[in-house]
Amino acid sequence: MLAGRFRPLRRAREVLFRSPLRRLISTRTLSTRTLGVRCMTKDAAVPKKWSKAPTDEQARGTTSEAEAPVPGFPIKYVWHTGPWYDIFELQIQKLRRDILRAKAEDKLVVYLSCPISSRGGGYSTTNVDVARHVERVLLERWGEGFWILNPAQYQLESKAGTGLMNEHADALGIDLNQLISIAGRPFGGDYMRMWTTVLVENDTRVGYGDAGKHLVNTGQHFDAFYFIGPRDVQSFFLREGETLTDGIQAYFARKFAFDPDFREEYSDPDPSWARLGPRTAANDAQYQLRDGWNAKRLDFFRFYSLKAGVNFSLGSHDEWLIFRALNAARRDRTRNPGKFMIDGDVGDQIAGFFDGGQIDPASTEMPVARGYSR
């Protein structure tokens, strides 16, 4: 019965997207009227807005205190207010267009929460490699009915993300390298403002459906969150060796041999590799340099063998809090004692996965330590 009821609508949509009429409808019209994706702010859309180079004060400007990216949503950050803000506004619009395309193809949208920045022994390029691997594995397992939003593809730590940031900077008349030299790289709060906005905001229209006013800004564009765990990471390295030790060492050797940035990160010109003999007061300084060289490699091995995953990522901790808050909002707005839903409709919650399996009910409602949020 339901399939028959929606068949005319689906047929009309197929005709629209396959006919010449599609060319007459702008992406902006589809975004705001058809799929419920908000359009960019007027100021951020101004071409070459920063063609007159920003002052150092403008480039370094930040919010005076933590603010909520989405009014009323219980997570706040500190972020840049000048050129970086406008670059991220354009990146938000890029993300929304990508989500729009996925929704237009009737795909289920999954957000992949993963470590990205270098922290605790991890390295950003390796984190990006792992995230791409997990994305591929999930799509091979789940099939073409899904689209995975992989944040590693949209941040400066990846080549794809850097290319997008450069594109936005050029559109605004910003010299990205000069901006980084003055203001530094973006804060964790800059990225998390972007992800919180994208993950939380929705209008009453979502895809081709009606979410209703009571579910505005409850993450209706997303069907699931997937949080990367240790088994996901281990599966990446086990492709290169029979044991985890073999795999990590083989990966490190390969990247060191062929990736210039990786080689630069893990090279140290200071230690002497001449035969030093027994450690004494006379050669202790050289041994200390070797110790530092070895410690960095040991930190890499420790991180990816024991720690890699969302448990040790600041951004992922905030994304867990977003996931939890979105589901709390959905339950709160669907309370109906008359239908025996005193605590809300748990059937409308966003699905959550960790390390290959669905998260248990109790854990989905538990808080974790904050990452970049205040």
Side-chain angles (χ1 to χ4, degrees):
M1 293 292 291
L2 286 175
R5 185 180 303 172
F6 288 105
R7 191 173 293 119
L9 175 61
R10 183 176 291 113
R11 176 60 183 162
R13 189 194 63 206
E14 290 173 353
V15 170
L16 168 64
F17 274 83
R18 293 175 183 173
S19 70
L21 179 62
R22 180 181 182 181
R23 292 191 293 270
L24 300 178
I25 302 178
S26 68
T27 300
R28 179 177 178 134
T29 302
L30 281 171
S31 299
T32 57
R33 296 181 183 178
T34 311
L35 295 176
V37 180
R38 300 180 182 184
C39 57
M40 69 178 64
T41 60
K42 182 177 179 180
D43 287 344
V46 176
K48 303 297 180 183
K49 175 183 176 181
W50 293 97
S51 55
K52 181 179 179 181
T55 64
D56 289 3
E57 183 179 3
Q58 288 174 320
R60 296 182 181 128
T62 65
T63 54
S64 58
E65 58 184 21
E67 297 181 11
V70 180
F73 196 73
I75 295 181
K76 299 180 179 181
Y77 311 95
V78 171
W79 59 74
H80 282 96
T81 56
W84 274 128
Y85 179 90
D86 287 340
I87 289 173
F88 275 91
E89 282 296 291
L90 294 182
Q91 188 73 319
I92 288 171
Q93 297 311 312
K94 162 63 177 170
L95 283 157
R96 285 173 168 160
R97 290 193 297 272
D98 289 349
I99 294 169
L100 181 155
R101 283 192 290 270
K103 287 295 183 183
E105 295 172 2
D106 289 335
K107 293 183 183 292
L108 301 183
V109 177
V110 180
Y111 181 75
L112 182 68
S113 180
C114 56
I116 298 179
S117 61
S118 302
R119 181 178 302 280
Y123 182 54
S124 58
T125 298
T126 303
N127 292 335
V128 171
D129 289 344
V130 171
R132 286 174 174 165
H133 164 76
V134 175
E135 178 186 357
R136 287 193 299 270
V137 168
L138 290 177
L139 289 175
E140 288 171 2
R141 184 187 308 160
W142 290 352
E144 61 185 12
F146 293 82
W147 181 73
I148 295 176
L149 175 49
N150 181 350
Q153 304 282 48
Y154 296 87
Q155 297 196 186
L156 281 171
E157 285 79 2
S158 70
K159 291 180 180 179
T162 298
L164 289 171
M165 292 292 191
N166 271 308
E167 180 182 326
H168 303 326
D170 182 65
L172 292 163
I174 297 170
D175 184 323
L176 191 61
N177 290 328
Q178 184 180 12
L179 176 60
I180 292 174
S181 69
I182 296 172
R185 297 172 75 84
F187 297 153
D190 291 311
Y191 284 115
M192 291 313 303
R193 179 186 77 84
M194 173 177 75
W195 292 121
T196 303
T197 302
V198 169
L199 289 167
V200 174
E201 284 190 344
N202 65 268
D203 293 325
T204 56
R205 297 287 296 176
V206 177
Y208 292 93
D210 187 356
K213 291 183 179 179
H214 67 297
L215 291 177
V216 167
N217 291 346
T218 56
Q220 294 292 321
H221 293 296
F222 292 86
D223 300 286
F225 279 51
Y226 188 100
F227 297 89
I228 285 182
R231 281 176 290 194
D232 295 316
V233 178
Q234 290 170 11
S235 73
F236 170 74
F237 289 104
L238 286 170
R239 302 176 310 158
E240 304 202 33
E242 293 185 2
T243 69
L244 191 55
T245 298
D246 291 342
I248 294 173
Q249 290 177 345
Y251 170 87
F252 189 98
R254 176 172 58 80
K255 295 291 282 190
F256 192 83
F258 294 103
D259 188 320
D261 293 330
F262 192 95
R263 190 181 188 92
E264 180 182 356
E265 178 69 19
Y266 288 95
S267 294
D268 189 341
D270 294 328
S272 170
W273 299 107
R275 189 177 297 277
L276 296 177
R279 192 165 189 161
T280 65
N283 63 17
D284 188 64
Q286 278 299 321
Y287 269 108
Q288 288 185 26
L289 291 173
R290 290 188 180 185
D291 290 343
W293 177 89
N294 186 60
K296 192 165 185 178
R297 283 156 173 73
L298 185 59
D299 287 343
F300 183 94
F301 177 72
R302 179 184 297 109
F303 183 83
Y304 288 107
S305 61
L306 301 175
K307 290 186 174 184
V310 298
N311 285 338
F312 303 91
S313 165
L314 292 175
S316 291
H317 273 230
D318 284 331
E319 286 159 359
W320 178 275
L321 294 175
I322 293 168
F323 165 71
R324 177 175 174 266
L326 286 173
N327 278 339
R330 290 185 178 202
R331 292 194 306 273
D332 184 63
R333 299 182 193 185
T334 55
R335 292 178 187 271
N336 190 336
K339 292 185 177 181
F340 306 101
M341 294 188 295
I342 295 175
D343 293 324
D345 187 359
V346 295
D348 194 41
Q349 294 185 130
I350 303 171
F353 294 82
F354 170 71
D355 206 23
Q358 194 172 83
I359 304 167
D360 67 89
S363 295
T364 61
E365 298 183 26
M366 294 296 294
V368 296
R370 286 175 289 188
Y372 298 107
S373 58
R374 304 289 179 91

